Amino acid sequence: MLKVGDPAPDFQVGGTTLHKLAAERSVAVFFFPKVFTPTCTLESRAFGREYEALRKAGGDVVGVSVDKPEESARFCESLKLPFPLVADEDGAIASAFGVRWPLVGLARRVTFLVGRDRRILLAFGSERDAEAHVRKIAQALSVA
């Protein structure tokens, strides 16, 4: 898993890239195992609920899971999420960040805050406390 100070790997986020987003504001990149599961839904909703406050604090949000693009799009639409979800179907992004579970191939529940210098400012993992991820990002943005 990447650590604070490590450079964040770049990846495509819709029509832009993580590095381009980070040039404008810090970006919370949250990895989660599977769309339409209870804890992943709770975490995604929490980021959606706090999205405007995170934006006002100078942050942005991108979610990543190793689901198929059509499943990820359906999940994003069903929750009316105001931020993009990236479908990492082959697990390359999760692997680059060091958060892919061996054998099962799913992403671990880990959130990174990528600073404007494209380096990791925060790395936080908790499989059970999904809403803690949002709290950690809010705290980090309030002191950044």
Side-chain angles (χ1 to χ4, degrees):
M1 183 169 102
L2 295 179
K3 299 179 293 301
V4 171
D6 287 343
D10 199 16
F11 60 90
Q12 198 70 32
V13 180
T16 189
T17 67
L18 173 63
H19 285 179
K20 288 179 184 172
L21 289 173
E24 297 176 18
R25 53 184 51 236
S26 297
V27 181
V29 180
F30 75 100
F31 288 87
F32 61 98
K34 190 84 178 126
V35 297
F36 294 108
T37 58
T39 307
C40 297
T41 299
L42 181 69
E43 180 181 23
S44 297
R45 278 189 176 141
F47 272 108
R49 188 174 53 248
E50 297 301 321
Y51 180 72
E52 285 306 317
L54 296 174
R55 293 273 302 171
K56 286 179 184 170
D60 209 337
V61 177
V62 174
V64 182
S65 70
V66 294
D67 290 292
K68 294 180 180 178
E70 56 275 7
E71 291 172 338
S72 186
R74 254 188 27 248
F75 183 67
C76 190
E77 176 61 31
S78 74
L79 297 180
K80 297 183 179 9
L81 297 175
F83 54 82
L85 292 181
V86 175
D88 181 24
E89 190 172 10
D90 66 0
I93 301 167
S95 292
F97 277 77
V99 298
R100 194 162 184 204
W101 282 109
L103 302 177
V104 294
L106 299 176
R108 293 177 18 218
R109 190 176 316 284
V110 177
T111 298
F112 298 93
L113 183 60
V114 178
R116 295 186 66 196
D117 63 356
R118 301 177 181 145
R119 294 196 172 275
I120 304 297
L121 299 174
L122 170 85
F124 174 76
S126 174
E127 292 297 331
R128 295 200 171 127
D129 190 353
E131 291 189 347
H133 293 258
V134 179
R135 289 191 305 271
K136 291 287 187 181
I137 291 298
Q139 289 168 353
L141 287 172
S142 71
V143 297

